[in-house]
Amino acid sequence: MKKLVFIVLLLTVTSVISQENNTTLTIVGEAKKQIEIDSYSLTISLRQIVANGNLNFELASLSQITQNYKDKLKTIGVDFSKFQKNVLLQLYTSYSEAHDVSYYNYATTSEEEMIKIIKQKMNGLTIVQVEAVAKEKNNTEWSALTLAAIEDAKVKAKKTADHLNKKLGRIVKVENSDSRTQYINMYKPEEIQKHLVTVTFTLE
């Protein structure tokens, strides 16, 4: 029985020493990144105009509205055939729609062209949504951001280790939750964002 107790105590002490010898410090490092716009996307709806007692609109079928919009786009040099019909959105909204309506998506890399399209106004047309799509970081850009964030983590970890009267050791783990895919803050498109990396160091 005494021998069993001694073995248990020995294992406990060994475990404590092991933990002390592998004391670690985890720090989140960050690097600043500029987000670039890759393209713009637009979703519109074209809807038939029906009789309405409160409005004095000229009645028009969906096909007439569509042709009117084609003609307006032609005047600014945009080909309506490049608009992609969004059948899924049409199916999704069909329950709440009382009249004929079609939805279309359009994408362009030109900000100027997107502004021209948005400025085209007519009865039966609704701009449903406008989005800016961020440019994806390539491997070189993504790696550079990660390395910069790791260096930032090292600086922070060194200060923390000094405060604890410890020596900063080697890196034992790096967790990079960020990806090459970027996003744009629509309210602050020029905002500098952060690339975050979690780095774990040993303390000696």
Side-chain angles (χ1 to χ4, degrees), residues 143-157:
S143 297
L145 285 169
T146 299
L147 290 174
I150 291 174
E151 288 302 314
D152 178 65
K154 284 181 181 179
V155 173
K156 294 175 180 176

Side-chain angles (χ1 to χ4, degrees), residues 55 70 74 104-105 109 129 148-149 157 164 182 188:
L55 298 174
K70 287 181 182 179
K74 191 174 181 179
Y104 293 89
N105 295 331
T109 57
Q129 182 173 301
L164 297 172
Q182 307 299 300
K188 298 178 181 178

Side-chain angles (χ1 to χ4, degrees), residues 10-50:
L10 180 61
L11 289 173
T12 302
V13 172
T14 303
S15 176
V16 171
I17 294 173
S18 176
Q19 289 178 7
E20 289 179 351
N21 288 338
N22 291 280
T23 302
T24 58
L25 174 64
T26 299
I27 297 290
V28 175
E30 59 185 58
K32 295 180 179 180
K33 62 180 178 180
Q34 180 69 57
I35 306 301
E36 300 177 63
I37 294 177
D38 181 59
S39 62
Y40 301 87
S41 65
L42 171 78
T43 301
I44 66 164
S45 69
L46 296 175
R47 182 179 280 98
Q48 72 172 133
I49 300 176
V50 297

